[in-house]
Each structure stands twice: as structure tokens, then as C-alpha cells.
Amino acid sequence: MMTDPLSKPMHILLVDDNPNNLKVLSEAIQGYGWKALMATDGESAIEQTEYAHPDLILLDVMMPGIDGFETCRRLKANPITQNTPIIFMTALSETTDKVKGLEIGAVDYITKPFQQEEVIARLKLHLKISYLTRTLEQRVQERTAELSQSLQRLQQTQLQLIQSEKMSTLGQLVAGIGHEINNPVGFLDGNTSHIKGYVNDLLRLIYLYQEKLPDPDPEIEDLVEEIDFEYITEDLPKLLTSMSQGISRLKDISLSLRTFARADMSSKVEYQIHEGIDSTLMLLKHRLKDNGDRPRIHTITEYCELPPISCYPGQLNQVFMNIIANAIDAFDEYYHNHSHQAPLNEQNTLTITTLVDPQQQSVTICIQDNGPGMPPEVQARVFEPSFTTKPVGKGTGLGLAISYQIIVDKHNGQIRCFSMPGEGTKFVINLPI
């Protein structure tokens, strides 16, 4: 019979340069019956881990000397300490830092200021996972399923936390930019109409002077010739029209930003999906243009009449953004690597089709490109967390994993990928109305 791994005293190493944090954490840990070891910098943490063999390490990211990330790398590179689970403590809100921590071997992170109950709950979970991992060979048939489920739940929780923070931060930022653009755009829009009127009035005045005084002073004639008055009178209305079009474009971008980043994290709302697709295409419009290496990508939208569906609009828009941006990346990478060869197609296209199935009470969104496509072994892994074919620094591998979670877990839908090398890629999303 297996004993409870948490029944014997556990040794937790706390690494933080803030004495107050160490005090609060050690009291919480000792109050639970565990032993607290303490270090105030990365070097001493590494030394203690080698001789004291703690069961788990709570490691602060920002410390003098070597920071938490470097400390973690060194611990994971040492055979003596590489299996000790590490949980980062961080006050940073940037998702990239948290992803970086998970990528270099940490099992979790806790954001400061922390709740004692949350700290204890996470310590219990990771101590148990660590224990199960160490004894897996002895109890492989008995515990494999349980361990896999624990790890999967943990991975999904981490993805969900990263996704929530990304959407919350991105949503506030993008919506804020949309609102900020509105003020100067409104000012420009209002004044442009006045400027048009003033220009017309001034031109009428000049024409009247020319009519009433047909023989002007030679100095005036010289100035008329110098500034090319005739050209100005032709070009000025065109410039004002161009300015009006630019202001109209800014209005569209502002609206797209606010549509894309709707604050809808708390509950589902009725939403017209076509608005989300259109706002995403608007935001990516600059990337679809000819960029020198790669010809323009033409977008084709084939919409049927869709009813509004109950959903989280901001999250669905993020899915559209991930898929369309990945298609653009694939085109860009192909043309970058094959710049001296013939174009991939007669015309690069991205086709977005929507359908409704009244009987199944569902809608289907199909996003298809005629790009380079992908081999079967890549297609099979596109929804795996941290799987990416992009160069280092170009992608985290979380985009499609989070998209899968949004469609399947949050909306009870389906998302599938179909692709063949040289034949493009198609994503099919099915959502209940």
C-alpha cells in the first residue's frame, strides 16, 4: 500500500532577497508542518540545493547577482539538482517572462502579492506530482493514468492563466488605443470640413479679385507665377479629399481595435462573427500588402447570413488573428527562403468562408490559404503547446494551442487543420449557435 507523499515533513527552499517575503512564506509553510530552508540569492540557493536536497524550490525571479532564470538554468543543468521542482515567484505581468520560466524547466509560477492558500495548494500539487514522477517506474500500471491527467490539467491551467492574462492585458491596451485615436481623429474630422469651406471661400475671393481687377500689379503677377497658382487651385481640393480619406481610414482602424478587443471575459454575449473577422482583417491589412519579397495576399470573404452566436468575442477574435497571422507568416517565410524562384502561385489568396447549419444549430468558419502547406508530421502537432516551426524568438508555440482551448473548452466547438505540402492549409472551426 502506498503512503501519502505529503504525510512526512517536506523541505521547501525559499529563495528571495526580500526578508519580509521569506518570513511570510516560512510561517505559512511551517504552519502546514513542512520545513522551510531559506536563501537570499541564486548562488547560495544552488549550494543549499546540492547538499540539503529540498523537495521543492520557490524561486524569486528578480534578485541581485544571478536572477531566477539563470539560477533555474544552472539547477537544471546539474544532474544532482535537475529533478528538483521549481516554482517561480514573480511580480512581472509580462506573459513572455512566464512562458520563458516554463520553457527553461520551472513547473509553475506564483504572482506576487500571493495568497497563502494558493501557495500551499500549489506546493501540495507539485510535491505530489514530483513524488509520483520519482516512483513512476514502480507503479507504472497503477498510476500512469492519474499522473497523465494531473500533468494535463496542470498544463491546461497554465495555458488558461497565460491566455487570461494575455487577453486581459491585450484587450485593455488595444481598446485603450482605439479610444485614444478617437479624440485626435474627431478633432481632425471636424476641422477638415471647416478647412474645406475656408479654402473655397478664399479661392472665390481670389477669383473675384481677378475678375474685378484684370490688370494686377506686376509684383502680384510674379508671385502668381512663382507659386504656380493654377496648379495650387487644382491640387488643393485633391489634398483635402486625400486627408478626408485618411481620416476615414483612421476611424475604421479605431473601430476595428475596439471591436477586436471587446472586454467580454466574464460572460458570453450575442455577437456577429463577421464583425470579428472583418476587424481582424482590418488590423492585419498592412501585413497583407506587397512587402518587397512577397507579392500581395488577396483576401476573399464568402459570407452566408449568420445569426449572432453566444460567445466570448474577444477570444474568438484572437483565434482568427492567430490563424490568419500564421498564414501570412507561412507566405513570408516561403518567399524569404525562395526569393530567386518563381512565385508560389499566380496569386496569393486567403479565403474565409462561413456557413450555417440550422439543423445542427451550428456555424462553420473556414479559413484557407494557398500557401506552402505543411507536412503530415507538422500538421499532427499544430495544436500542441510549445510546438512551433518558427525560428527562435519568432513564436512561442502557444497561439494554436490557446486557439484550440478557446474553441473546444470555452465554446464547446471543434477546430481542425487540413494541409498538404504545396497545397496550402485550411482551418475549419465549428461553433454551436
Side-chain angles (χ1 to χ4, degrees), residues 56-59 61 68-69 71-73 75-76 82 84-90 97-110 126 151 154 158:
L56 189 143
I57 301 171
L58 269 176
L59 178 58
V61 172
F69 292 141
T71 304
C72 181
R73 283 193 194 93
L75 289 168
K76 293 301 173 185
Q82 67 182 2
T84 307
I86 296 170
I87 297 177
F88 275 124
M89 297 182 289
T90 175
D97 285 321
K98 293 171 182 174
V99 173
K100 179 180 175 183
L102 299 173
E103 284 177 344
I104 62 176
V107 294
D108 206 346
Y109 62 83
I110 295 170
H126 289 294
L151 290 172
L154 176 62
Q158 288 167 343

PDB file of all heavy atoms in Angstrom, residues 56-59 61 68-69 71-73 75-76 82 84-90 97-110 126 151 154 158:
ATOM      1  N   LEU A  56      11.314  20.832  -2.932  1.00  0.00           N
ATOM      2  CA  LEU A  56      10.772  21.796  -3.886  1.00  0.00           C
ATOM      3  C   LEU A  56      11.417  23.156  -3.627  1.00  0.00           C
ATOM      4  O   LEU A  56      11.819  23.458  -2.497  1.00  0.00           O
ATOM      5  CB  LEU A  56       9.246  21.895  -3.750  1.00  0.00           C
ATOM      6  CG  LEU A  56       8.491  22.693  -4.808  1.00  0.00           C
ATOM      7  CD1 LEU A  56       7.158  22.035  -5.130  1.00  0.00           C
ATOM      8  CD2 LEU A  56       8.232  24.122  -4.348  1.00  0.00           C
ATOM      9  N   ILE A  57      11.535  23.975  -4.664  1.00  0.00           N
ATOM     10  CA  ILE A  57      12.134  25.305  -4.530  1.00  0.00           C
ATOM     11  C   ILE A  57      11.124  26.356  -4.981  1.00  0.00           C
ATOM     12  O   ILE A  57      10.547  26.242  -6.062  1.00  0.00           O
ATOM     13  CB  ILE A  57      13.408  25.431  -5.391  1.00  0.00           C
ATOM     14  CG1 ILE A  57      14.435  24.372  -4.981  1.00  0.00           C
ATOM     15  CG2 ILE A  57      14.009  26.826  -5.278  1.00  0.00           C
ATOM     16  CD1 ILE A  57      15.633  24.280  -5.920  1.00  0.00           C
ATOM     17  N   LEU A  58      10.920  27.366  -4.110  1.00  0.00           N
ATOM     18  CA  LEU A  58      10.156  28.561  -4.502  1.00  0.00           C
ATOM     19  C   LEU A  58      11.196  29.632  -4.820  1.00  0.00           C
ATOM     20  O   LEU A  58      11.939  30.064  -3.924  1.00  0.00           O
ATOM     21  CB  LEU A  58       9.261  29.037  -3.349  1.00  0.00           C
ATOM     22  CG  LEU A  58       7.836  28.481  -3.301  1.00  0.00           C
ATOM     23  CD1 LEU A  58       7.144  28.980  -2.046  1.00  0.00           C
ATOM     24  CD2 LEU A  58       7.035  28.885  -4.516  1.00  0.00           C
ATOM     25  N   LEU A  59      11.266  30.070  -6.074  1.00  0.00           N
ATOM     26  CA  LEU A  59      12.391  30.875  -6.541  1.00  0.00           C
ATOM     27  C   LEU A  59      11.919  32.225  -7.072  1.00  0.00           C
ATOM     28  O   LEU A  59      11.119  32.286  -8.009  1.00  0.00           O
ATOM     29  CB  LEU A  59      13.126  30.094  -7.649  1.00  0.00           C
ATOM     30  CG  LEU A  59      14.320  30.737  -8.337  1.00  0.00           C
ATOM     31  CD1 LEU A  59      15.406  31.092  -7.336  1.00  0.00           C
ATOM     32  CD2 LEU A  59      14.870  29.803  -9.417  1.00  0.00           C
ATOM     33  N   VAL A  61      12.149  35.644  -9.197  1.00  0.00           N
ATOM     34  CA  VAL A  61      12.763  35.944 -10.498  1.00  0.00           C
ATOM     35  C   VAL A  61      13.777  37.078 -10.372  1.00  0.00           C
ATOM     36  O   VAL A  61      14.911  36.977 -10.818  1.00  0.00           O
ATOM     37  CB  VAL A  61      11.683  36.304 -11.544  1.00  0.00           C
ATOM     38  CG1 VAL A  61      12.340  36.793 -12.820  1.00  0.00           C
ATOM     39  CG2 VAL A  61      10.825  35.089 -11.851  1.00  0.00           C
ATOM     40  N   GLY A  68      16.561  34.773 -11.147  1.00  0.00           N
ATOM     41  CA  GLY A  68      15.890  33.483 -11.002  1.00  0.00           C
ATOM     42  C   GLY A  68      16.015  32.603 -12.233  1.00  0.00           C
ATOM     43  O   GLY A  68      16.191  31.386 -12.127  1.00  0.00           O
ATOM     44  N   PHE A  69      15.926  33.213 -13.438  1.00  0.00           N
ATOM     45  CA  PHE A  69      16.014  32.421 -14.666  1.00  0.00           C
ATOM     46  C   PHE A  69      17.379  31.737 -14.776  1.00  0.00           C
ATOM     47  O   PHE A  69      17.477  30.542 -15.081  1.00  0.00           O
ATOM     48  CB  PHE A  69      15.780  33.302 -15.900  1.00  0.00           C
ATOM     49  CG  PHE A  69      14.376  33.824 -16.021  1.00  0.00           C
ATOM     50  CD1 PHE A  69      14.128  35.116 -16.460  1.00  0.00           C
ATOM     51  CD2 PHE A  69      13.297  33.026 -15.679  1.00  0.00           C
ATOM     52  CE1 PHE A  69      12.833  35.593 -16.567  1.00  0.00           C
ATOM     53  CE2 PHE A  69      11.999  33.500 -15.787  1.00  0.00           C
ATOM     54  CZ  PHE A  69      11.766  34.785 -16.227  1.00  0.00           C
ATOM     55  N   THR A  71      19.494  31.113 -12.293  1.00  0.00           N
ATOM     56  CA  THR A  71      19.566  30.127 -11.214  1.00  0.00           C
ATOM     57  C   THR A  71      18.882  28.834 -11.641  1.00  0.00           C
ATOM     58  O   THR A  71      19.414  27.731 -11.454  1.00  0.00           O
ATOM     59  CB  THR A  71      18.895  30.685  -9.939  1.00  0.00           C
ATOM     60  OG1 THR A  71      19.520  31.925  -9.594  1.00  0.00           O
ATOM     61  CG2 THR A  71      19.030  29.713  -8.779  1.00  0.00           C
ATOM     62  N   CYS A  72      17.700  28.955 -12.241  1.00  0.00           N
ATOM     63  CA  CYS A  72      16.942  27.780 -12.696  1.00  0.00           C
ATOM     64  C   CYS A  72      17.734  27.018 -13.758  1.00  0.00           C
ATOM     65  O   CYS A  72      17.826  25.787 -13.708  1.00  0.00           O
ATOM     66  CB  CYS A  72      15.584  28.228 -13.247  1.00  0.00           C
ATOM     67  SG  CYS A  72      14.543  26.877 -13.808  1.00  0.00           S
ATOM     68  N   ARG A  73      18.324  27.743 -14.707  1.00  0.00           N
ATOM     69  CA  ARG A  73      19.111  27.077 -15.758  1.00  0.00           C
ATOM     70  C   ARG A  73      20.246  26.254 -15.156  1.00  0.00           C
ATOM     71  O   ARG A  73      20.492  25.117 -15.548  1.00  0.00           O
ATOM     72  CB  ARG A  73      19.689  28.118 -16.726  1.00  0.00           C
ATOM     73  CG  ARG A  73      18.696  28.676 -17.714  1.00  0.00           C
ATOM     74  CD  ARG A  73      19.396  29.442 -18.842  1.00  0.00           C
ATOM     75  NE  ARG A  73      18.431  30.228 -19.588  1.00  0.00           N
ATOM     76  CZ  ARG A  73      18.154  31.507 -19.326  1.00  0.00           C
ATOM     77  NH1 ARG A  73      18.785  32.135 -18.347  1.00  0.00           N
ATOM     78  NH2 ARG A  73      17.273  32.170 -20.056  1.00  0.00           N
ATOM     79  N   LEU A  75      20.513  25.044 -12.061  1.00  0.00           N
ATOM     80  CA  LEU A  75      19.973  23.896 -11.313  1.00  0.00           C
ATOM     81  C   LEU A  75      19.575  22.765 -12.257  1.00  0.00           C
ATOM     82  O   LEU A  75      19.803  21.589 -11.986  1.00  0.00           O
ATOM     83  CB  LEU A  75      18.773  24.336 -10.465  1.00  0.00           C
ATOM     84  CG  LEU A  75      19.093  25.219  -9.248  1.00  0.00           C
ATOM     85  CD1 LEU A  75      17.806  25.818  -8.684  1.00  0.00           C
ATOM     86  CD2 LEU A  75      19.822  24.416  -8.170  1.00  0.00           C
ATOM     87  N   LYS A  76      18.967  23.118 -13.396  1.00  0.00           N
ATOM     88  CA  LYS A  76      18.516  22.104 -14.352  1.00  0.00           C
ATOM     89  C   LYS A  76      19.686  21.485 -15.118  1.00  0.00           C
ATOM     90  O   LYS A  76      19.559  20.395 -15.670  1.00  0.00           O
ATOM     91  CB  LYS A  76      17.504  22.705 -15.335  1.00  0.00           C
ATOM     92  CG  LYS A  76      16.172  23.105 -14.703  1.00  0.00           C
ATOM     93  CD  LYS A  76      15.506  21.922 -14.053  1.00  0.00           C
ATOM     94  CE  LYS A  76      14.264  22.305 -13.267  1.00  0.00           C
ATOM     95  NZ  LYS A  76      13.699  21.160 -12.535  1.00  0.00           N
ATOM     96  N   GLN A  82      18.783  18.579 -10.986  1.00  0.00           N
ATOM     97  CA  GLN A  82      17.916  18.824 -12.137  1.00  0.00           C
ATOM     98  C   GLN A  82      16.476  18.360 -11.940  1.00  0.00           C
ATOM     99  O   GLN A  82      15.560  18.865 -12.599  1.00  0.00           O
ATOM    100  CB  GLN A  82      18.506  18.171 -13.391  1.00  0.00           C
ATOM    101  CG  GLN A  82      18.537  16.659 -13.362  1.00  0.00           C
ATOM    102  CD  GLN A  82      19.172  16.078 -14.626  1.00  0.00           C
ATOM    103  OE1 GLN A  82      19.614  16.798 -15.504  1.00  0.00           O
ATOM    104  NE2 GLN A  82      19.234  14.764 -14.697  1.00  0.00           N
ATOM    105  N   THR A  84      14.728  18.570  -9.073  1.00  0.00           N
ATOM    106  CA  THR A  84      14.012  19.298  -8.017  1.00  0.00           C
ATOM    107  C   THR A  84      13.020  20.267  -8.658  1.00  0.00           C
ATOM    108  O   THR A  84      13.417  21.131  -9.442  1.00  0.00           O
ATOM    109  CB  THR A  84      15.004  20.099  -7.148  1.00  0.00           C
ATOM    110  OG1 THR A  84      16.023  19.225  -6.681  1.00  0.00           O
ATOM    111  CG2 THR A  84      14.288  20.745  -5.968  1.00  0.00           C
ATOM    112  N   PRO A  85      11.723  20.138  -8.355  1.00  0.00           N
ATOM    113  CA  PRO A  85      10.747  21.044  -8.981  1.00  0.00           C
ATOM    114  C   PRO A  85      10.933  22.490  -8.512  1.00  0.00           C
ATOM    115  O   PRO A  85      11.212  22.731  -7.339  1.00  0.00           O
ATOM    116  CB  PRO A  85       9.381  20.484  -8.547  1.00  0.00           C
ATOM    117  CG  PRO A  85       9.645  19.514  -7.464  1.00  0.00           C
ATOM    118  CD  PRO A  85      11.085  19.129  -7.497  1.00  0.00           C
ATOM    119  N   ILE A  86      10.790  23.419  -9.460  1.00  0.00           N
ATOM    120  CA  ILE A  86      10.982  24.842  -9.176  1.00  0.00           C
ATOM    121  C   ILE A  86       9.707  25.598  -9.534  1.00  0.00           C
ATOM    122  O   ILE A  86       9.170  25.441 -10.633  1.00  0.00           O
ATOM    123  CB  ILE A  86      12.168  25.405  -9.988  1.00  0.00           C
ATOM    124  CG1 ILE A  86      13.478  24.723  -9.544  1.00  0.00           C
ATOM    125  CG2 ILE A  86      12.266  26.921  -9.844  1.00  0.00           C
ATOM    126  CD1 ILE A  86      14.666  25.022 -10.441  1.00  0.00           C
ATOM    127  N   ILE A  87       9.225  26.401  -8.596  1.00  0.00           N
ATOM    128  CA  ILE A  87       8.088  27.302  -8.849  1.00  0.00           C
ATOM    129  C   ILE A  87       8.619  28.734  -8.771  1.00  0.00           C
ATOM    130  O   ILE A  87       9.232  29.122  -7.785  1.00  0.00           O
ATOM    131  CB  ILE A  87       6.958  27.101  -7.820  1.00  0.00           C
ATOM    132  CG1 ILE A  87       6.374  25.690  -7.916  1.00  0.00           C
ATOM    133  CG2 ILE A  87       5.860  28.146  -8.014  1.00  0.00           C
ATOM    134  CD1 ILE A  87       5.298  25.393  -6.882  1.00  0.00           C
ATOM    135  N   PHE A  88       8.402  29.500  -9.824  1.00  0.00           N
ATOM    136  CA  PHE A  88       8.853  30.896  -9.820  1.00  0.00           C
ATOM    137  C   PHE A  88       7.869  31.768  -9.051  1.00  0.00           C
ATOM    138  O   PHE A  88       6.655  31.569  -9.115  1.00  0.00           O
ATOM    139  CB  PHE A  88       8.975  31.434 -11.255  1.00  0.00           C
ATOM    140  CG  PHE A  88      10.288  31.127 -11.909  1.00  0.00           C
ATOM    141  CD1 PHE A  88      10.341  30.450 -13.111  1.00  0.00           C
ATOM    142  CD2 PHE A  88      11.480  31.523 -11.320  1.00  0.00           C
ATOM    143  CE1 PHE A  88      11.545  30.166 -13.714  1.00  0.00           C
ATOM    144  CE2 PHE A  88      12.680  31.246 -11.918  1.00  0.00           C
ATOM    145  CZ  PHE A  88      12.719  30.562 -13.117  1.00  0.00           C
ATOM    146  N   MET A  89       8.432  32.739  -8.338  1.00  0.00           N
ATOM    147  CA  MET A  89       7.613  33.813  -7.770  1.00  0.00           C
ATOM    148  C   MET A  89       7.961  35.072  -8.556  1.00  0.00           C
ATOM    149  O   MET A  89       9.140  35.406  -8.700  1.00  0.00           O
ATOM    150  CB  MET A  89       7.956  34.033  -6.293  1.00  0.00           C
ATOM    151  CG  MET A  89       7.674  32.830  -5.414  1.00  0.00           C
ATOM    152  SD  MET A  89       8.053  33.178  -3.672  1.00  0.00           S
ATOM    153  CE  MET A  89       9.844  33.256  -3.710  1.00  0.00           C
ATOM    154  N   THR A  90       6.963  35.741  -9.074  1.00  0.00           N
ATOM    155  CA  THR A  90       7.241  36.910  -9.907  1.00  0.00           C
ATOM    156  C   THR A  90       6.186  37.981  -9.715  1.00  0.00           C
ATOM    157  O   THR A  90       5.011  37.680  -9.546  1.00  0.00           O
ATOM    158  CB  THR A  90       7.320  36.534 -11.401  1.00  0.00           C
ATOM    159  OG1 THR A  90       7.486  37.713 -12.169  1.00  0.00           O
ATOM    160  CG2 THR A  90       6.080  35.815 -11.870  1.00  0.00           C
ATOM    161  N   ASP A  97       7.718  36.467 -19.902  1.00  0.00           N
ATOM    162  CA  ASP A  97       8.572  36.046 -18.807  1.00  0.00           C
ATOM    163  C   ASP A  97       8.078  34.734 -18.210  1.00  0.00           C
ATOM    164  O   ASP A  97       8.858  33.863 -17.856  1.00  0.00           O
ATOM    165  CB  ASP A  97       8.618  37.125 -17.721  1.00  0.00           C
ATOM    166  CG  ASP A  97       9.496  38.296 -18.152  1.00  0.00           C
ATOM    167  OD1 ASP A  97      10.554  38.067 -18.770  1.00  0.00           O
ATOM    168  OD2 ASP A  97       9.111  39.423 -17.894  1.00  0.00           O
ATOM    169  N   LYS A  98       6.765  34.598 -18.087  1.00  0.00           N
ATOM    170  CA  LYS A  98       6.210  33.375 -17.525  1.00  0.00           C
ATOM    171  C   LYS A  98       6.424  32.197 -18.467  1.00  0.00           C
ATOM    172  O   LYS A  98       6.778  31.099 -18.037  1.00  0.00           O
ATOM    173  CB  LYS A  98       4.723  33.583 -17.213  1.00  0.00           C
ATOM    174  CG  LYS A  98       4.553  34.601 -16.089  1.00  0.00           C
ATOM    175  CD  LYS A  98       3.109  35.017 -15.881  1.00  0.00           C
ATOM    176  CE  LYS A  98       3.030  36.080 -14.782  1.00  0.00           C
ATOM    177  NZ  LYS A  98       1.698  36.621 -14.619  1.00  0.00           N
ATOM    178  N   VAL A  99       6.228  32.421 -19.746  1.00  0.00           N
ATOM    179  CA  VAL A  99       6.485  31.363 -20.729  1.00  0.00           C
ATOM    180  C   VAL A  99       7.953  30.970 -20.688  1.00  0.00           C
ATOM    181  O   VAL A  99       8.303  29.783 -20.715  1.00  0.00           O
ATOM    182  CB  VAL A  99       6.098  31.837 -22.148  1.00  0.00           C
ATOM    183  CG1 VAL A  99       6.508  30.813 -23.186  1.00  0.00           C
ATOM    184  CG2 VAL A  99       4.595  32.078 -22.229  1.00  0.00           C
ATOM    185  N   LYS A 100       8.836  31.963 -20.590  1.00  0.00           N
ATOM    186  CA  LYS A 100      10.280  31.707 -20.534  1.00  0.00           C
ATOM    187  C   LYS A 100      10.603  30.815 -19.347  1.00  0.00           C
ATOM    188  O   LYS A 100      11.371  29.851 -19.459  1.00  0.00           O
ATOM    189  CB  LYS A 100      11.023  33.041 -20.427  1.00  0.00           C
ATOM    190  CG  LYS A 100      12.540  32.929 -20.344  1.00  0.00           C
ATOM    191  CD  LYS A 100      13.132  34.334 -20.243  1.00  0.00           C
ATOM    192  CE  LYS A 100      14.623  34.304 -20.030  1.00  0.00           C
ATOM    193  NZ  LYS A 100      15.165  35.666 -19.867  1.00  0.00           N
ATOM    194  N   GLY A 101      10.009  31.120 -18.188  1.00  0.00           N
ATOM    195  CA  GLY A 101      10.247  30.315 -16.997  1.00  0.00           C
ATOM    196  C   GLY A 101       9.837  28.873 -17.186  1.00  0.00           C
ATOM    197  O   GLY A 101      10.552  27.938 -16.797  1.00  0.00           O
ATOM    198  N   LEU A 102       8.651  28.661 -17.789  1.00  0.00           N
ATOM    199  CA  LEU A 102       8.170  27.294 -18.026  1.00  0.00           C
ATOM    200  C   LEU A 102       9.070  26.574 -19.029  1.00  0.00           C
ATOM    201  O   LEU A 102       9.315  25.376 -18.916  1.00  0.00           O
ATOM    202  CB  LEU A 102       6.724  27.331 -18.539  1.00  0.00           C
ATOM    203  CG  LEU A 102       5.695  27.953 -17.578  1.00  0.00           C
ATOM    204  CD1 LEU A 102       4.347  28.091 -18.266  1.00  0.00           C
ATOM    205  CD2 LEU A 102       5.556  27.149 -16.314  1.00  0.00           C
ATOM    206  N   GLU A 103       9.569  27.322 -20.032  1.00  0.00           N
ATOM    207  CA  GLU A 103      10.393  26.702 -21.063  1.00  0.00           C
ATOM    208  C   GLU A 103      11.739  26.234 -20.519  1.00  0.00           C
ATOM    209  O   GLU A 103      12.295  25.257 -20.990  1.00  0.00           O
ATOM    210  CB  GLU A 103      10.616  27.680 -22.228  1.00  0.00           C
ATOM    211  CG  GLU A 103       9.392  27.826 -23.123  1.00  0.00           C
ATOM    212  CD  GLU A 103       9.597  28.852 -24.222  1.00  0.00           C
ATOM    213  OE1 GLU A 103      10.553  29.657 -24.127  1.00  0.00           O
ATOM    214  OE2 GLU A 103       8.800  28.860 -25.178  1.00  0.00           O
ATOM    215  N   ILE A 104      12.298  26.941 -19.519  1.00  0.00           N
ATOM    216  CA  ILE A 104      13.616  26.529 -19.019  1.00  0.00           C
ATOM    217  C   ILE A 104      13.513  25.530 -17.881  1.00  0.00           C
ATOM    218  O   ILE A 104      14.531  25.163 -17.300  1.00  0.00           O
ATOM    219  CB  ILE A 104      14.463  27.751 -18.591  1.00  0.00           C
ATOM    220  CG1 ILE A 104      13.806  28.517 -17.440  1.00  0.00           C
ATOM    221  CG2 ILE A 104      14.781  28.648 -19.754  1.00  0.00           C
ATOM    222  CD1 ILE A 104      14.663  29.668 -16.917  1.00  0.00           C
ATOM    223  N   GLY A 105      12.313  25.074 -17.552  1.00  0.00           N
ATOM    224  CA  GLY A 105      12.213  23.929 -16.649  1.00  0.00           C
ATOM    225  C   GLY A 105      11.396  24.127 -15.402  1.00  0.00           C
ATOM    226  O   GLY A 105      11.225  23.187 -14.632  1.00  0.00           O
ATOM    227  N   ALA A 106      10.880  25.355 -15.131  1.00  0.00           N
ATOM    228  CA  ALA A 106      10.026  25.538 -13.959  1.00  0.00           C
ATOM    229  C   ALA A 106       8.695  24.813 -14.175  1.00  0.00           C
ATOM    230  O   ALA A 106       8.262  24.620 -15.304  1.00  0.00           O
ATOM    231  CB  ALA A 106       9.775  27.023 -13.721  1.00  0.00           C
ATOM    232  N   VAL A 107       8.083  24.393 -13.057  1.00  0.00           N
ATOM    233  CA  VAL A 107       6.817  23.656 -13.178  1.00  0.00           C
ATOM    234  C   VAL A 107       5.607  24.583 -13.044  1.00  0.00           C
ATOM    235  O   VAL A 107       4.500  24.205 -13.406  1.00  0.00           O
ATOM    236  CB  VAL A 107       6.711  22.522 -12.135  1.00  0.00           C
ATOM    237  CG1 VAL A 107       7.751  21.457 -12.396  1.00  0.00           C
ATOM    238  CG2 VAL A 107       6.829  23.056 -10.710  1.00  0.00           C
ATOM    239  N   ASP A 108       5.819  25.800 -12.513  1.00  0.00           N
ATOM    240  CA  ASP A 108       4.671  26.678 -12.284  1.00  0.00           C
ATOM    241  C   ASP A 108       5.202  28.060 -11.904  1.00  0.00           C
ATOM    242  O   ASP A 108       6.415  28.267 -11.797  1.00  0.00           O
ATOM    243  CB  ASP A 108       3.807  26.119 -11.128  1.00  0.00           C
ATOM    244  CG  ASP A 108       2.356  26.565 -11.232  1.00  0.00           C
ATOM    245  OD1 ASP A 108       2.065  27.492 -12.017  1.00  0.00           O
ATOM    246  OD2 ASP A 108       1.508  26.000 -10.519  1.00  0.00           O
ATOM    247  N   TYR A 109       4.308  29.011 -11.735  1.00  0.00           N
ATOM    248  CA  TYR A 109       4.682  30.324 -11.232  1.00  0.00           C
ATOM    249  C   TYR A 109       3.585  30.828 -10.321  1.00  0.00           C
ATOM    250  O   TYR A 109       2.421  30.464 -10.445  1.00  0.00           O
ATOM    251  CB  TYR A 109       4.936  31.319 -12.377  1.00  0.00           C
ATOM    252  CG  TYR A 109       3.741  31.581 -13.237  1.00  0.00           C
ATOM    253  CD1 TYR A 109       2.769  32.517 -12.857  1.00  0.00           C
ATOM    254  CD2 TYR A 109       3.538  30.884 -14.415  1.00  0.00           C
ATOM    255  CE1 TYR A 109       1.643  32.726 -13.632  1.00  0.00           C
ATOM    256  CE2 TYR A 109       2.415  31.093 -15.187  1.00  0.00           C
ATOM    257  CZ  TYR A 109       1.487  32.015 -14.802  1.00  0.00           C
ATOM    258  OH  TYR A 109       0.373  32.230 -15.569  1.00  0.00           O
ATOM    259  N   ILE A 110       3.999  31.664  -9.363  1.00  0.00           N
ATOM    260  CA  ILE A 110       3.057  32.312  -8.448  1.00  0.00           C
ATOM    261  C   ILE A 110       3.307  33.813  -8.560  1.00  0.00           C
ATOM    262  O   ILE A 110       4.453  34.268  -8.494  1.00  0.00           O
ATOM    263  CB  ILE A 110       3.280  31.851  -6.992  1.00  0.00           C
ATOM    264  CG1 ILE A 110       2.957  30.352  -6.841  1.00  0.00           C
ATOM    265  CG2 ILE A 110       2.436  32.665  -6.025  1.00  0.00           C
ATOM    266  CD1 ILE A 110       3.366  29.772  -5.522  1.00  0.00           C
ATOM    267  N   HIS A 126       2.441  20.245  -6.623  1.00  0.00           N
ATOM    268  CA  HIS A 126       3.717  19.947  -7.281  1.00  0.00           C
ATOM    269  C   HIS A 126       4.570  18.972  -6.479  1.00  0.00           C
ATOM    270  O   HIS A 126       5.352  18.218  -7.056  1.00  0.00           O
ATOM    271  CB  HIS A 126       4.458  21.244  -7.581  1.00  0.00           C
ATOM    272  CG  HIS A 126       3.806  22.019  -8.678  1.00  0.00           C
ATOM    273  ND1 HIS A 126       3.757  21.567  -9.968  1.00  0.00           N
ATOM    274  CD2 HIS A 126       3.114  23.191  -8.672  1.00  0.00           C
ATOM    275  CE1 HIS A 126       3.097  22.434 -10.713  1.00  0.00           C
ATOM    276  NE2 HIS A 126       2.694  23.420  -9.951  1.00  0.00           N
ATOM    277  N   LEU A 151      -0.839  16.033 -14.995  1.00  0.00           N
ATOM    278  CA  LEU A 151       0.020  16.867 -15.826  1.00  0.00           C
ATOM    279  C   LEU A 151      -0.794  17.621 -16.878  1.00  0.00           C
ATOM    280  O   LEU A 151      -0.549  18.791 -17.156  1.00  0.00           O
ATOM    281  CB  LEU A 151       1.095  16.015 -16.510  1.00  0.00           C
ATOM    282  CG  LEU A 151       2.173  15.462 -15.579  1.00  0.00           C
ATOM    283  CD1 LEU A 151       3.061  14.471 -16.314  1.00  0.00           C
ATOM    284  CD2 LEU A 151       3.023  16.583 -15.011  1.00  0.00           C
ATOM    285  N   LEU A 154      -2.635  20.395 -15.241  1.00  0.00           N
ATOM    286  CA  LEU A 154      -1.698  21.456 -14.908  1.00  0.00           C
ATOM    287  C   LEU A 154      -1.347  22.270 -16.148  1.00  0.00           C
ATOM    288  O   LEU A 154      -1.337  23.501 -16.133  1.00  0.00           O
ATOM    289  CB  LEU A 154      -0.433  20.844 -14.310  1.00  0.00           C
ATOM    290  CG  LEU A 154       0.704  21.815 -13.984  1.00  0.00           C
ATOM    291  CD1 LEU A 154       0.259  22.819 -12.935  1.00  0.00           C
ATOM    292  CD2 LEU A 154       1.927  21.048 -13.514  1.00  0.00           C
ATOM    293  N   GLN A 158      -2.101  26.175 -16.802  1.00  0.00           N
ATOM    294  CA  GLN A 158      -1.064  27.153 -17.143  1.00  0.00           C
ATOM    295  C   GLN A 158      -1.424  27.894 -18.430  1.00  0.00           C
ATOM    296  O   GLN A 158      -1.307  29.115 -18.514  1.00  0.00           O
ATOM    297  CB  GLN A 158       0.287  26.452 -17.291  1.00  0.00           C
ATOM    298  CG  GLN A 158       0.862  26.000 -15.957  1.00  0.00           C
ATOM    299  CD  GLN A 158       2.020  25.036 -16.115  1.00  0.00           C
ATOM    300  OE1 GLN A 158       2.209  24.451 -17.179  1.00  0.00           O
ATOM    301  NE2 GLN A 158       2.789  24.866 -15.068  1.00  0.00           N
TER     302      GLN A 158
END
